[in-house]
């Protein structure tokens, strides 16, 4: 191990590798001068291989701060101890292009440390880790000076590092250590002829000919160097300075700026967010340089651990060079521009994408949008695939996206989560207030690309023009005589305290859009005190208000059956005590078979009455003590009769998707821990229906409700195993399979399943789209209805 206070052997070192950085015209070597017009020593590190050293080798780094390439063939970098006059040399060769580095690898210590990036020259100089002298000399003659070395003939640049250095430009830098280097400011471009002023003592950051620097003369550190072709910055945690660009958008606590002269690599973003913590003083169109620390910010704080990070510059120093500069042109996404991947969000199969490597913006949607982070992005005639949310968010896709719904949305499928989706946000300018699925944003929609809450978001810089697509709420056909009409409808936390307009709207939907079905299984009926957590569990006031509204809307007189849950045991909004309810009319042939005696904890069962199945309790809850229903709604089973024949109905509201990881999240493929409970719930319900069908294989069974899972899910597979139940959403054409729109993905969450004897009938089935596609919603779910001829 080399010690910092030990006199080390100085030997003549000859470069073993040469680098030619670009086939460019070469300038002859210039004469010595105090401030170098081009090549400078940009970094010195002498702790390589020592205890605690991050790198195995010492190194000297050069940088071309000029505007033309410079040949360094025959030049030398020379080293002497802090007070010594004996100089050792490493000979250089090649050319350094403007804005490029040149890395000289020197001696290795006895300890460990990472290998340096590929060096452009190699020598064996053993530098002191704390204090010494480095000269860049335009010839091969060894210096002999102890002091005044910076002005010796042939010296192009000089650095005295450490307080004991006997010679320096101005004053020497601070003392170095095994874990610190002297780095020239401005990414290597700053030269005021004062080592103390020009260099900072910080963590070593070796750069070679493949890297770019931070000066104005040769291009310097650019934003694409900060962003890198990766999901996180290769410079995270490091300081940068004088990074140029043009301000493209200004927020309340920072601004976005973009390089007007991008590189040729589409994988590297050309823009970044600058976090100022308070209102920025810059304006859109300002040409600036920014210094600061490269940071990765994870939105959501401690609750956002599954979010991706956003690259930022923090603690910034901003210099405004000019006003009213032209903004960089936005990158067109879609036909005629960069086309996002069509099906794959991430090719990472397991784990944290931030450590997984394999950055693939051409094939992976997550990486595609990551490569545009912070940049101005344009979508032409974007298609609205989700309604304007209460947060001002509007999901859109570029024109030409595939697997659209019949009404203009985009369909979630088992192997296609639609990576082309992006969400417009109103952080910088208003979004259309009433966008509806099927609308178009005519012309160019332009904004800066950001990320938060598990999604990439285009922060529009001007409100897009909205062209309505004519999407209107649907109405189903009325049931014919002899047809049993059964529906399911999640009414989203309906409580007595809701405005009368919600009750009237739901009533109009049941009467006008669903055409007053014989049976409606309702989900999310809250108790009489709503979300007030006061021990109340009864819901008679909620249901009385709803049935009265239906009658007032011209509908029939509905009755209801339900079982009050235990207080705060069924999940949902705290205090709300949501439950499923059978709402039914008796004027068309449907009656309810009451078998009293069941409470919230009473388990229902199937009784064999001489070959005819019956329920022990009607209504009754299925296996309420089963752990499958912990903090979740218990299935409600009821026995009806249609024109004298039994019909068994089970209303469900399975465990929600809360806790699942986001599609555009940090962990891929996203974990879905919530589905474990739904699988258990489906198994219990399937077992119950099997008991009914074991008594009578031709029994009429309807299982319906909000299953909180897709038609292609294992939950649906479990319910349909063996073919005894048919899941009706699976029977629809692809473009009609959705009951819910989430983050722009049209998807099935609500289901109706029917037993084989009913599926053999010429039934009619309809998902009635009257909520999920619209900005004004009575519920976030669409109802559905099946009409089964049972004369």
């Amino acid at each position: 191990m080399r010690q910092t206070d030990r006199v080390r052997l100085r030997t003549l070192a000859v470069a073993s590798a040469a680098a030619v950085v670009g086939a460019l015209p070469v300038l002859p070597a210039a004469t010595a001068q105090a401030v170098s017009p081009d090549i400078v020593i940009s970094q010195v590190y002498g702790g390589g291989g020592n205890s605690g050293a991050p790198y195995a080798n010492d190194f000297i780094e050069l940088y071309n701060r000029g505007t033309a390439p410079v040949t360094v063939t025959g030049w030398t970098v020379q080293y002497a101890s802090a007070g010594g006059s004996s100089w050792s040399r490493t000979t250089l060769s090649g050319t350094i292009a403007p804005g490029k580095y040149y890395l000289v690898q020197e001696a290795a210590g006895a300890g460990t440390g990472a290998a340096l990036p590929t060096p452009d020259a190699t020598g064996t100089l053993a530098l002191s880790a704390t204090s010494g002298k480095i000269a860049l000399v335009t010839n091969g003659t060894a210096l002999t000076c102890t002091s005044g070395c910076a002005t010796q003939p042939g010296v192009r640049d000089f650095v005295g590092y450490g307080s004991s250095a006997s010679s320096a430009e101005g004053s020497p830098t601070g003392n170095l250590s095994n874990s610190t280097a002297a780095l020239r400011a401005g990414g290597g471009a700053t030269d005021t002829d004062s080592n103390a002023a020009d260099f900072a003592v910080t963590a070593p950051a070796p750069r070679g000919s493949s890297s770019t620097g931070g000066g104005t003369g040769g291009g310097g550190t650019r934003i694409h160097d900060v962003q890198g072709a990766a999901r996180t910055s290769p410079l995270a945690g490091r300081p940068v300075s004088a990074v140029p660009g043009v301000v493209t958008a200004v927020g309340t606590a920072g601004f976005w700026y973009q390089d007007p002269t991008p590189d040729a690599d589409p994988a590297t973003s050309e823009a970044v967010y600058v976090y100022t913590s308070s209102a920025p003083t810059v304006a859109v169109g300002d040409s600036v340089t920014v210094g600061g620390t490269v940071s990765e910010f994870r939105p959501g704080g401690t609750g956002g651990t599954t979010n991706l990070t956003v690259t930022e510059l923090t603690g910034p120093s901003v210099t405004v060079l000019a006003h009213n500069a032209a903004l960089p042109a936005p990158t067109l996404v879609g036909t005629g521009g960069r086309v996002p991947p069509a099906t794959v969000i991430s090719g990472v199969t397991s784990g944290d994408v931030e450590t997984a490597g394999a950055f693939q913006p051409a094939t992976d949607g997550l990486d595609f949008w990551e490569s545009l982070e912070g940049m101005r992005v344009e979508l032409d005639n974007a298609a609205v695939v989700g309604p304007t949310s209460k947060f001002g968010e509007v999901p859109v896709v570029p024109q030409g996206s595939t697997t659209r719904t019949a009404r203009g949305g985009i369909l979630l499928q088992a192997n296609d989560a639609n990576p082309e989706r992006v969400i417009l946000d109103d952080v910088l300018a208003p979004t259309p207030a009433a966008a509806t699925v099927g609308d178009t944003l005519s012309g160019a929609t332009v904004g800066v690309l950001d990320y938060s809450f598990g999604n990439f978001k285009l922060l529009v810089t001007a409100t897009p023009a909205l062209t309505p697509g004519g999407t209107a709420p649907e109405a189903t056909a009325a049931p014919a005589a002899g047809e049993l009409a059964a529906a399911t409808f999640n009414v989203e936390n309906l409580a007595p305290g809701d405005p009368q307009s919600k009750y009237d709207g739901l009533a109009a939907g049941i009467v006008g859009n669903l055409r007053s079905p014989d049976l409606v299984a309702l989900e999310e009926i809250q108790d009489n005190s709503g979300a007030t957590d006061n021990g109340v569990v009864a819901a008679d006031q909620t249901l009385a208000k709803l049935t009265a509204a239906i009658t007032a809307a011209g509908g029939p007189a509905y009755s209801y059956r339900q079982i009050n849950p235990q207080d705060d045991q069924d999940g949902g909004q705290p205090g709300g005590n949501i439950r499923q309810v059978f709402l039914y009319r008796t004027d068309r042939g449907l009656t309810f078979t009451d078998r009293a005696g069941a409470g919230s904890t009473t388990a229902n069962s199937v009784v064999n009455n001489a070959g005819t199945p019956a329920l022990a309790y009607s209504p009754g809850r299925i296996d309420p003590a089963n752990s499958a229903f912990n903090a979740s709604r218990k299935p409600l089973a009821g026995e009806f009769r249609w024109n004298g024949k039994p019909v068994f109905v089970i209303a469900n509201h399975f465990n929600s998707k809360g806790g699942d990881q986001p599609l555009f999240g940090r962990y891929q493929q996203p974990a879905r821990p919530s589905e474990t409970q739904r699988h258990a719930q489906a198994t219990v319900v399937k077992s119950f229906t099997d008991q009914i069908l074991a008594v009578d294989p031709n029994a009429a069974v309807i299982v319906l409700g909000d299953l909180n899972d897709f038609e292609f899910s294992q939950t649906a597979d479990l319910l349909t195993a063996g073919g005894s139940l048919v899941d009706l959403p699976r029977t629809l054409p692809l473009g009609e399979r959705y009951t819910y729109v989430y983050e722009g993905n049209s998807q099935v969450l609500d289901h109706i399943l029917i037993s084989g004897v009913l599926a053999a009938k010429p039934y009619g089935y309809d998902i009635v789209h009257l909520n999920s596609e619209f900005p004004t919603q009575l519920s976030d779910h669409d109802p559905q209805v099946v009409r089964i001829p049972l004369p």
Side-chain angles (χ1 to χ4, degrees):
M1 178 183 298
R2 294 179 295 141
Q3 302 299 322
T4 59
D5 57 353
R6 188 174 70 190
V7 177
R8 292 175 290 172
L9 178 64
R10 320 296 188 208
T11 59
L12 178 65
V14 180
S16 62
V20 177
V21 187
L24 299 168
V26 176
L27 295 181
T31 57
Q33 58 190 74
V35 175
S36 173
D38 38 47
I39 310 301
V40 293
I41 299 166
S42 55
Q43 190 171 176
V44 176
Y45 175 62
N50 288 355
S51 175
Y55 293 100
N57 289 76
D58 299 343
F59 66 84
I60 301 165
E61 179 191 277
L62 309 179
Y63 175 65
N64 185 351
R65 63 190 296 269
T67 59
V70 176
T71 182
V72 294
T73 299
W75 292 23
T76 53
V77 288
Q78 302 192 21
Y79 168 76
S81 63
S85 59
S86 176
W87 292 81
S88 302
R89 296 160 288 168
T90 296
T91 301
L92 313 179
S93 66
T95 298
I96 307 177
K100 291 291 185 176
Y101 295 103
Y102 185 102
L103 183 63
V104 185
Q105 176 177 292
E106 299 292 1
T112 58
L116 296 174
T118 302
D120 301 299
T122 302
T124 57
L125 301 182
L127 312 183
S128 167
T130 56
S131 187
K133 302 187 291 283
I134 301 290
L136 173 63
V137 183
T138 58
N139 55 54
T141 302
L143 300 177
T144 58
C145 55
T146 300
S147 61
C149 300
T151 58
Q152 293 295 307
V155 174
R156 189 56 160 267
D157 194 29
F158 192 90
V159 176
Y161 67 96
S163 59
S164 61
S166 60
S167 187
E169 288 186 352
S171 301
T173 75
N175 289 332
L176 307 187
S177 69
N178 292 344
S179 59
T180 59
L183 275 77
R184 186 179 290 273
T190 301
D191 188 7
T192 66
D193 206 18
S194 171
N195 293 160
D198 293 345
F199 283 83
V201 177
T202 186
R207 296 160 290 192
S209 57
S210 61
S211 303
T212 54
T216 58
T221 298
R222 314 299 290 206
I223 294 175
H224 52 251
D225 301 317
V226 172
Q227 289 281 12
R231 301 177 191 102
T232 58
S233 172
L235 303 181
R238 298 182 185 178
V240 293
S241 58
V243 184
V246 175
V247 177
T248 57
V250 177
T252 58
F255 63 91
W256 290 262
Y257 81 125
Q258 185 166 334
D259 194 330
T261 56
D263 65 8
D265 186 359
T268 57
S269 169
E270 298 292 343
V272 71
Y273 179 71
V274 180
Y275 177 65
T276 57
S277 76
S278 59
T281 58
V282 297
V284 172
D286 282 353
S287 177
V288 299
T289 59
V290 181
T293 300
V294 180
S295 303
E296 291 292 335
F297 172 72
R298 195 178 306 283
T302 57
T305 56
T306 60
N307 284 326
L308 299 173
T309 60
V310 177
T311 303
E312 298 180 346
L313 296 181
T314 60
S317 173
V318 182
T319 301
V320 178
L321 306 177
H323 302 295
N324 301 316
L327 300 187
T331 298
L332 176 62
V333 171
T335 303
R338 289 189 62 186
V339 178
T343 59
V344 177
I345 285 183
S346 178
V348 175
T349 58
S350 178
D352 187 345
V353 299
E354 294 170 7
T355 58
F359 190 63
Q360 303 176 123
T363 59
D364 294 7
L366 186 151
D367 295 347
F368 174 86
W369 295 112
E370 179 71 38
S371 72
L372 295 167
E373 181 184 271
M375 291 179 62
R376 299 187 75 219
V377 169
E378 175 181 336
L379 300 173
D380 287 349
N381 301 313
V384 175
V385 294
T388 305
S389 75
K390 62 183 178 181
F391 304 109
E393 298 173 337
V394 183
V396 299
V397 295
Q399 288 293 337
S401 298
T402 57
T403 321
R404 304 292 295 279
T405 69
R407 290 159 61 86
I410 191 164
L411 189 70
L412 177 71
Q413 299 179 83
N415 297 311
D416 185 2
N418 301 313
E420 61 268 52
R421 286 175 301 116
V422 67
I423 296 178
L424 308 187
D425 208 340
D426 62 353
V427 170
L428 301 174
T431 52
T436 298
V437 171
D439 291 351
T440 300
L441 303 181
S442 300
T445 296
V446 178
V448 293
L449 192 73
D450 197 30
Y451 177 94
S452 63
F453 295 100
N455 282 288
F456 288 96
K457 296 182 178 179
L458 187 62
L459 311 184
V460 297
T461 48
T463 302
L466 181 69
T467 300
T471 305
E474 291 182 326
T476 194
E483 284 187 334
L484 169 65
T488 179
F489 197 172
N490 183 319
V491 293
E492 194 177 6
N493 290 319
L494 185 65
D498 287 335
Q500 185 62 39
S501 59
K502 178 170 182 177
Y503 281 89
D504 293 343
L506 291 172
I510 291 171
V511 174
N513 301 88
L514 292 180
R515 307 298 291 271
S516 301
D518 300 291
L519 167 67
V520 184
L522 300 172
E523 297 88 47
E524 294 198 21
I525 294 290
Q526 288 197 347
D527 63 35
N528 292 334
S529 63
T532 301
D533 197 357
N534 56 4
V536 171
V537 294
D540 55 295
Q541 296 175 25
T542 311
L543 292 163
K545 194 171 180 179
L546 177 60
T547 54
I550 292 172
T551 302
Y558 276 96
S559 301
Y560 63 85
R561 294 291 187 273
Q562 58 97 43
I563 291 180
N564 293 330
Q566 290 181 287
D567 188 34
D568 290 334
Q569 296 301 302
D570 282 14
Q573 190 175 30
N577 291 312
I578 56 175
R579 82 288 310 273
Q580 300 91 267
V581 175
F582 293 127
L583 196 68
Y584 65 96
R585 57 187 292 188
T586 60
D587 57 327
R588 295 187 67 251
L590 185 68
T591 60
F592 189 81
T593 302
D594 283 297
R595 293 195 185 93
S600 60
T601 61
T602 307
N604 210 343
S605 61
V606 177
V607 178
N608 186 340
N609 289 333
T612 300
L615 299 183
Y617 304 101
S618 179
R621 304 175 99 191
I622 298 176
D623 207 357
N626 193 306
S627 61
F629 301 106
N630 286 350
S632 185
R633 282 67 56 192
K634 285 66 175 173
L636 182 70
E639 186 176 328
F640 293 82
R641 298 190 81 80
W642 173 255
N643 292 327
K645 296 183 179 180
V647 178
F648 301 93
V649 183
I650 303 172
N652 303 274
H653 187 188
F654 283 2
N655 185 47
S656 78
K657 290 183 174 291
D660 289 358
Q661 293 175 349
L663 294 174
F664 283 103
R666 174 183 180 183
Y667 300 104
Q668 296 292 335
Q669 299 296 309
R672 300 185 296 270
S674 71
E675 66 186 11
T676 300
Q677 188 169 1
R678 289 193 296 278
H679 296 165
Q681 293 171 337
T683 299
V684 172
V685 171
K686 180 61 163 56
S687 174
F688 194 85
T689 63
D690 284 347
Q691 293 172 49
I692 297 172
L693 295 169
V695 177
D696 181 4
N698 291 317
V701 179
I702 302 175
V703 176
L704 74 179
D706 178 2
L707 302 186
N708 267 316
D709 225 334
F710 315 122
E711 84 279 11
F712 51 79
S713 65
Q714 186 178 342
T715 301
D717 288 344
L718 289 166
L719 287 168
T720 57
S724 59
L725 294 175
V726 175
D727 187 26
L728 297 187
R730 290 182 169 184
T731 67
L732 293 175
L734 278 178
E736 298 178 20
R737 295 186 190 180
Y738 63 100
T739 69
Y740 194 84
V741 179
Y742 182 66
E743 296 178 344
N745 270 335
S746 294
Q747 56 198 263
V748 168
L749 292 184
D750 309 85
H751 299 245
I752 297 178
L753 301 95
I754 56 178
S755 58
V757 68
L758 301 180
K761 304 289 184 181
Y763 63 84
Y765 171 63
D766 194 5
I767 298 172
V768 185
H769 303 297
L770 53 86
N771 284 314
S772 67
E773 298 167 315
F774 303 94
T776 300
Q777 300 178 340
L778 299 167
S779 168
D780 47 359
H781 292 252
D782 287 330
Q784 56 189 284
V785 61
V786 61
R787 297 176 298 275
I788 307 170
L790 292 173

